Amino acid sequence: MGILTDSYKASHYLQYPACREMVAYGEFRCGFDKDTEDTRMVVYGIRYLLETYLLRQWTSDDVEKAANFYSTHKAPGCTAFPFPKDLFLSFVEQHNGYFPVKLQALPEGTCVHAHVPVYQITASNEYAPLCTFLEVILTMIWYPTTVATLSRRGRNIIEAAFERSADAGAASPLLPSRLHDFGFRGCCTVEQSVIGGAAHLLNFEGTDTLSAAYYVQFELNGGEPVGTSIPATEHSVMTAWHTEKAAIENMIDQFGDGLFACVMDSYDYMRALSEVLPSVAEKKVGKGGFMVLRPDSGDPVEAVLAALKAAENVFGVDVNAKGYKVPRGAGVIQGDGINLTSLSQILAAVLDAGYSAEAVAFGMGGGLLQKVNRDTMSFATKLSHVVYADGTEADIMKSPTGDTSKISFPGALAVKRVDGVPTIFPAEGGHVPDEENLLQTLYDCGPLQRDWPLFKDLKQRIAREWAALPKTANVISRPLAEKIQNFKQHRQH
Amino acid sequence: MGILTDSYKASHYLQYPACREMVAYGEFRCGFDKDTEDTRMVVYGIRYLLETYLLRQWTSDDVEKAANFYSTHKAPGCTAFPFPKDLFLSFVEQHNGYFPVKLQALPEGTCVHAHVPVYQITASNEYAPLCTFLEVILTMIWYPTTVATLSRRGRNIIEAAFERSADAGAASPLLPSRLHDFGFRGCCTVEQSVIGGAAHLLNFEGTDTLSAAYYVQFELNGGEPVGTSIPATEHSVMTAWHTEKAAIENMIDQFGDGLFACVMDSYDYMRALSEVLPSVAEKKVGKGGFMVLRPDSGDPVEAVLAALKAAENVFGVDVNAKGYKVPRGAGVIQGDGINLTSLSQILAAVLDAGYSAEAVAFGMGGGLLQKVNRDTMSFATKLSHVVYADGTEADIMKSPTGDTSKISFPGALAVKRVDGVPTIFPAEGGHVPDEENLLQTLYDCGPLQRDWPLFKDLKQRIAREWAALPKTANVISRPLAEKIQNFKQHRQH
């Protein structure tokens, strides 16, 4: 733990004024990609951080190793780099090696708007200066929360297209497989694929990221499956055969009575649709299964429409009750160049061309698991309250001129639902009874007894909470607004 | 290992034609951010993947668990999801649990141009269909290679500014600390911070990402330190005191005889420079150390220039031999909004304003460790050669019409230096003797004896190789070019 932080954190214990308590909290400062018209998010990931890092017990040997490291970590001309070795040795003894802070956090999967604190850290007595030591690790909640929110927003787009063009609307059993996780190889590490892939599985079932599907099924869902996929070719399969036709015929032999997918652009995508596909049609139809055509290059909108037209020409279409065409026993999955923008564009074009959204699935790879960052929803942790050594208290508020987006809230905080909307209150003043405070204590200088919900129950709760939440809301309660107002006036003096 | 891949990989053994050997290779298909004028890259990261994943021995129990998982992983309407259980059980027995492929790769830290294969996988006999099973894991070399390349390009920008404006030019001892890793908290996971942070340390010493500094020092560099930092405040420190002045005075008390940094925008950046800084000047000068001013909001160019002017006003400047101003005992670190573009812009503005590049350091966070993806240098693995069950052979080339960037090379490959430039040859034909082939065999159905260089030696080699490499080069040897030409003519028939 001593090295699981930024260098400068190790020097902060010498930099704070003498204190007996410090409180800090973490918030996302904006909606996804700075969206101001929908600032909802799915907060997810605290359990992994808690279990992986906070529940680890430090030993005095660990502390010695860290101290040894810090003694070698410095810049030229700089005196020895500090490290609060005595404080670490002290909690090894006093708290059985558990890091000496209290951690409160929103329950996994809680849907909130931007600015609502997702966690709050309190450090007391001699450990007060360690309050923000774990900030770096805890900040990593930005990642699963951002992916879960992105994936949920993708679901919204697909649901809207289903409502318009699929008989069962958004209740269609096809919907959970419509946004498929192609992101494993685009991750930086396997650990990331597990965390990001799990965040996607909160909203969908479709995934090829087996690391996440396995982890969630066996670690978070009691062994019950959460991810689905189908046999599918890649270019190496299509090009290993002497012809694409032979590659597809083998797929039909192997999987033709079920679902299977073939990538179609190894040589000439349009020719594959116009010549190869008709040449295997009889064999495919004879087996009765469902064939998914996968474009993988070119303009995504044109590529999808070309595949739908080819499927219509070769296999025919049915027109559903909403008047949209559904190709018979065939569909398309677009897995190249997918992000929320292209997802919307493709679905709009598909519906405009008279096809049902049922006929198209999407694979999202780097766009889902990697092309997000801490700025996507602007996550930050800020100090909010100090009790000095002399017993005086101060609320703290960062408020840089010229960048109001970086303002933080003063004082310890609580979160309570007001008309269903998680709303921020001052912790003191009796506004929020403990049992209504969504910032639940998960850890207090050591583990607390806790039952985690099954992943499948989490999924249902998220679906309900997300739908029930208005796209935007004022999340600052009147008592907190008054406090901020007072604070600003005070500072002006 | 069975689940450390994409779902569809598990179905590919049923999709290939009957083969007795398959060969695939991985390449970056373009320079950093599609740069065509400098396509160099620092290839790094195979050791971690090898040691973490390939050197893991599978047991029959692992295989049973994977098979059990696959039996539950499917889509509605789909028959059971396939998994090559017999092949896995076979290599557990035959190869002591080691995955049955041969892996060749460029030595760690090799500098090459885009398109040069960074690894090649060969699978033989009954295991031929497992050739690309590990693609997903091996593809993750995109991440450390992309970060190492980004960081090296940052170094180039800073070196050029030092050459113009610092007395010692690019040989200045200050240079290794000028691009500091602020990226730990912006990573998705700790594992990522280790891998990405290590890639940055190939080019610089400045880092706050302690996870990486610790790992490299003790695991890759024989205990010798590789990372440096200095005590520095964050907003929580500045705001915990009743005034910024008090916070800075404490820093001077604690660290004033060495180097230390203070963030200056907690309330009003311009006022902090014009009023707070002069008020602590005498105390600061009295201690004799070096104070680094850190802006953290607003326009980066303006923020840096304002800090330099304030340092000049408060502490005075010396003019160096190249005619540039160097503030006395003070400097600036800009750690907000840094990417390669803003780095260039800021340094240009600093020099234009008459200050030496020596006076400015940079902190790069998400821009360094997270805002990259597999598309940044377009990494992909492609099948290149097949020996069919009947003994006939075929070279394989993916060549989609309309997207020439996705073309792959046919046949097994080798890499040899030609006039110092790593150049791609066909593996057969005697063009590349084994001892000249940069694609060295790291693993062959089990571990091979191997000495890895110390990290510090790797750094020196990279500096040399990078500087010696022209920014672009033709990396396709004539024998390979002829082979591609023949291949294309053949396909047209």
Side-chain angles (χ1 to χ4, degrees):
Chain A
M1 197 78 88
I3 55 123
L4 291 180
T5 194
D6 285 335
S7 302
Y8 73 162
K9 292 282 181 193
S11 68
H12 288 164
Y13 75 107
L14 296 174
Q15 300 178 13
Y16 289 119
C19 296
R20 62 166 81 154
E21 183 171 292
M22 297 184 78
V23 184
Y25 78 96
E27 64 163 307
F28 290 90
R29 296 183 294 207
C30 65
F32 189 88
D33 258 351
K34 321 278 177 254
D35 190 347
T36 56
E37 291 171 11
D38 184 351
T39 64
R40 290 174 294 176
M41 55 190 62
V42 180
V43 179
Y44 180 68
I46 197 72
R47 178 178 174 183
Y48 182 82
L49 296 171
L50 176 76
E51 294 184 344
T52 309
Y53 300 108
L54 277 164
L55 297 189
R56 182 188 183 291
Q57 285 171 278
W58 268 69
T59 66
S60 52
D61 186 51
D62 295 330
V63 179
E64 291 297 339
K65 277 186 187 151
N68 173 45
F69 168 70
Y70 278 102
S71 72
T72 62
H73 180 62
K74 53 195 170 191
C78 181
T79 49
F81 207 93
F83 169 64
K85 182 178 173 182
D86 289 347
L87 284 178
F88 272 66
L89 287 174
S90 175
F91 77 72
V92 165
E93 181 141 334
Q94 201 175 352
H95 292 300
N96 216 1
Y98 288 110
F99 201 83
V101 294
K102 180 170 91 167
L103 177 69
Q104 299 167 276
L106 298 179
E108 287 282 69
T110 304
C111 297
V112 302
H113 296 95
H115 293 302
V116 173
V118 300
Y119 59 70
Q120 185 164 255
I121 317 161
T122 306
S124 303
N125 305 318
E126 74 264 40
Y127 303 117
L130 296 183
C131 179
T132 63
F133 196 90
L134 300 183
E135 172 185 352
V136 175
I137 293 295
L138 292 172
T139 291
M140 287 182 183
I141 199 171
W142 77 260
Y143 177 62
T145 298
T146 304
V147 173
T149 303
L150 162 61
S151 162
R152 175 57 57 173
R153 290 170 70 106
R155 187 167 170 122
N156 279 2
I157 292 167
I158 295 169
E159 282 176 349
F162 265 64
E163 285 294 350
R164 272 186 58 200
S165 68
D167 281 353
S172 165
L174 290 175
L175 207 136
S177 64
R178 294 299 100 167
L179 188 61
H180 198 92
D181 178 354
F182 276 12
F184 197 167
R185 73 188 62 185
C187 286
C188 306
T189 68
V190 172
E191 185 186 17
Q192 177 188 347
S193 76
V194 171
I195 295 171
H200 173 66
L201 287 169
L202 289 168
N203 308 303
F204 287 95
E205 292 171 9
T207 189
D208 259 38
T209 300
L210 289 180
S211 52
Y214 189 94
Y215 175 82
V216 173
Q217 177 170 341
F218 293 105
E219 299 295 324
L220 307 179
N221 205 41
E224 200 173 312
V226 289
T228 58
S229 186
I230 62 172
T233 68
E234 62 178 16
H235 295 101
S236 78
V237 168
M238 304 303 286
T239 56
W241 295 82
H242 291 301
T243 65
E244 282 179 298
K245 181 174 187 234
I248 299 174
E249 285 180 337
N250 177 64
M251 288 297 286
I252 297 169
D253 286 337
Q254 295 285 351
F255 308 109
D257 55 351
L259 281 82
F260 65 98
C262 293
V263 65
M264 302 297 281
D265 74 327
S266 296
Y267 307 109
D268 184 336
Y269 178 60
M270 295 310 289
R271 200 184 69 79
L273 294 179
S274 63
E275 296 179 24
V276 182
L277 190 62
S279 76
V280 299
E282 190 179 338
K283 186 177 175 85
K284 185 262 166 201
V285 171
K287 287 296 283 289
F290 193 95
M291 178 175 182
V292 181
L293 305 168
R294 178 159 75 91
D296 195 41
S297 49
D299 176 73
V301 171
E302 289 171 20
V304 169
L305 292 180
L308 287 171
K309 281 172 195 152
E312 176 174 5
N313 289 340
V314 174
F315 302 113
V317 292
D318 295 310
V319 176
N320 68 17
K322 289 185 175 164
Y324 287 87
K325 293 186 282 188
V326 182
R328 291 193 193 118
V332 183
I333 185 164
Q334 174 69 28
D336 182 49
I338 295 302
N339 51 46
L340 294 181
T341 305
S342 62
L343 188 61
S344 293
Q345 288 167 342
I346 294 166
L347 281 169
V350 165
L351 269 59
D352 277 355
Y355 296 100
S356 169
E358 287 178 66
V360 187
F362 298 89
M364 203 168 177
L368 179 65
L369 297 189
Q370 178 58 19
K371 293 179 183 174
V372 291
N373 56 70
R374 187 166 68 94
D375 297 337
T376 305
M377 304 201 301
S378 189
F379 188 84
T381 298
K382 293 299 158 198
L383 187 72
S384 62
H385 189 71
V386 172
V387 183
Y388 295 104
D390 64 7
T392 58
E393 304 197 17
D395 291 331
I396 309 290
M397 184 173 174
K398 178 190 171 191
S399 173
T401 53
D403 194 349
T404 53
S405 72
K406 289 191 173 180
I407 286 175
S408 67
F409 298 124
L413 301 168
V415 177
K416 183 175 77 168
R417 288 190 191 278
V418 176
D419 298 330
V421 175
T423 302
I424 321 168
F425 288 83
E428 83 285 8
H431 305 291
V432 182
D434 271 357
E435 64 276 15
E436 291 182 42
N437 191 354
L438 291 178
L439 286 175
Q440 299 178 352
T441 304
L442 292 185
Y443 172 96
D444 194 356
C445 302
L448 297 176
Q449 187 65 34
R450 175 148 198 94
D451 290 324
W452 296 96
L454 283 179
F455 196 82
K456 63 179 176 180
D457 297 329
L458 208 52
K459 289 179 67 165
Q460 290 187 356
R461 187 158 59 75
I462 290 169
R464 280 197 310 272
E465 283 194 19
W466 180 271
L469 218 53
K471 288 188 176 178
T472 62
N474 172 29
V475 293
I476 301 176
S477 64
R478 192 190 294 184
L480 182 61
E482 286 168 358
K483 191 167 183 174
I484 294 169
Q485 198 55 39
N486 287 341
F487 189 92
K488 286 186 175 169
Q489 284 170 349
H490 176 76
R491 278 214 68 87
Q492 283 163 3
H493 296 307
Chain B
M1 198 78 88
I3 55 121
L4 291 179
T5 194
D6 285 334
S7 301
Y8 73 163
K9 292 282 181 192
S11 67
H12 287 165
Y13 75 107
L14 296 174
Q15 299 178 14
Y16 289 120
C19 296
R20 62 166 81 155
E21 183 172 290
M22 296 185 78
V23 183
Y25 78 95
E27 64 162 308
F28 291 90
R29 295 183 292 206
C30 64
F32 189 88
D33 259 351
K34 321 278 177 256
D35 189 349
T36 54
E37 292 172 10
D38 184 350
T39 63
R40 290 173 297 176
M41 54 189 63
V42 179
V43 179
Y44 181 67
I46 196 72
R47 179 178 173 182
Y48 182 82
L49 296 170
L50 176 75
E51 294 184 343
T52 309
Y53 300 107
L54 277 164
L55 297 189
R56 183 188 184 293
Q57 286 170 277
W58 269 68
T59 66
S60 52
D61 187 51
D62 295 331
V63 178
E64 291 297 339
K65 277 185 186 152
N68 173 44
F69 168 70
Y70 279 102
S71 72
T72 62
H73 180 62
K74 54 194 169 191
C78 183
T79 49
F81 207 92
F83 169 64
K85 183 177 172 182
D86 290 346
L87 283 178
F88 273 66
L89 287 175
S90 175
F91 78 72
V92 165
E93 180 141 334
Q94 200 175 354
H95 292 299
N96 215 1
Y98 288 111
F99 201 83
V101 294
K102 180 170 90 167
L103 176 68
Q104 297 166 277
L106 297 178
E108 288 282 69
T110 304
C111 298
V112 301
H113 295 95
H115 292 302
V116 173
V118 302
Y119 60 69
Q120 185 164 257
I121 317 161
T122 307
S124 303
N125 303 319
E126 74 264 41
Y127 302 117
L130 296 182
C131 180
T132 63
F133 196 90
L134 299 183
E135 172 184 352
V136 175
I137 294 294
L138 292 172
T139 290
M140 288 183 182
I141 199 171
W142 78 260
Y143 177 61
T145 298
T146 303
V147 173
T149 303
L150 162 61
S151 163
R152 175 56 58 172
R153 289 170 70 107
R155 187 168 170 122
N156 279 2
I157 293 167
I158 295 169
E159 283 177 348
F162 265 63
E163 285 294 350
R164 271 186 59 198
S165 67
D167 281 352
S172 165
L174 291 174
L175 207 136
S177 64
R178 293 300 100 166
L179 188 60
H180 198 92
D181 178 354
F182 277 12
F184 197 167
R185 75 189 61 185
C187 287
C188 306
T189 69
V190 172
E191 185 186 18
Q192 178 188 347
S193 77
V194 171
I195 295 171
H200 172 67
L201 287 169
L202 290 169
N203 308 302
F204 287 96
E205 292 171 9
T207 188
D208 260 38
T209 300
L210 290 180
S211 52
Y214 189 94
Y215 174 82
V216 173
Q217 178 170 341
F218 294 105
E219 299 295 324
L220 307 180
N221 204 41
E224 200 174 312
V226 290
T228 59
S229 187
I230 61 173
T233 68
E234 62 177 18
H235 295 102
S236 78
V237 168
M238 305 303 285
T239 56
W241 295 82
H242 292 301
T243 65
E244 282 178 299
K245 181 173 187 238
I248 299 174
E249 286 179 335
N250 177 65
M251 288 298 285
I252 297 169
D253 286 338
Q254 296 284 350
F255 308 108
D257 55 352
L259 282 81
F260 64 99
C262 293
V263 67
M264 301 296 282
D265 74 327
S266 296
Y267 307 108
D268 183 337
Y269 178 62
M270 296 310 288
R271 201 184 69 79
L273 293 179
S274 63
E275 296 179 24
V276 182
L277 190 63
S279 76
V280 299
E282 190 179 337
K283 186 178 175 85
K284 185 264 167 200
V285 171
K287 288 295 283 290
F290 193 95
M291 178 175 182
V292 181
L293 305 168
R294 179 160 74 93
D296 195 41
S297 47
D299 176 73
V301 171
E302 289 171 21
V304 169
L305 291 180
L308 287 171
K309 281 171 195 153
E312 176 175 4
N313 289 342
V314 174
F315 302 114
V317 293
D318 296 310
V319 175
N320 68 17
K322 289 185 175 164
Y324 286 87
K325 294 187 281 189
V326 182
R328 291 193 193 118
V332 183
I333 185 165
Q334 174 70 27
D336 183 49
I338 295 301
N339 51 45
L340 294 181
T341 305
S342 62
L343 187 62
S344 292
Q345 287 167 343
I346 294 166
L347 281 169
V350 165
L351 270 58
D352 277 354
Y355 296 100
S356 169
E358 288 177 66
V360 187
F362 298 88
M364 202 169 177
L368 180 63
L369 297 189
Q370 178 58 20
K371 293 179 184 175
V372 291
N373 57 69
R374 187 166 68 95
D375 297 337
T376 305
M377 304 201 300
S378 191
F379 188 83
T381 299
K382 293 298 158 198
L383 186 72
S384 62
H385 189 72
V386 172
V387 182
Y388 296 103
D390 63 6
T392 58
E393 304 198 17
D395 291 331
I396 308 289
M397 185 173 175
K398 178 190 171 191
S399 173
T401 53
D403 195 348
T404 53
S405 72
K406 289 191 172 180
I407 286 176
S408 67
F409 298 124
L413 302 167
V415 178
K416 183 175 76 168
R417 287 190 192 277
V418 175
D419 298 332
V421 174
T423 303
I424 321 167
F425 287 82
E428 83 285 8
H431 306 291
V432 181
D434 271 358
E435 63 275 16
E436 290 182 45
N437 191 354
L438 290 178
L439 286 175
Q440 300 177 352
T441 305
L442 293 184
Y443 172 96
D444 193 357
C445 301
L448 298 177
Q449 186 66 34
R450 174 151 198 93
D451 290 325
W452 296 95
L454 283 178
F455 196 82
K456 63 180 176 180
D457 297 329
L458 208 51
K459 289 179 66 165
Q460 291 188 355
R461 186 157 61 74
I462 290 169
R464 280 196 311 272
E465 281 193 21
W466 180 271
L469 218 53
K471 288 188 176 178
T472 62
N474 172 29
V475 294
I476 301 177
S477 65
R478 192 189 294 181
L480 182 61
E482 285 168 359
K483 191 167 183 174
I484 294 169
Q485 197 56 37
N486 287 340
F487 189 92
K488 285 186 175 169
Q489 283 171 349
H490 175 75
R491 278 215 70 85
Q492 283 163 2
H493 295 308

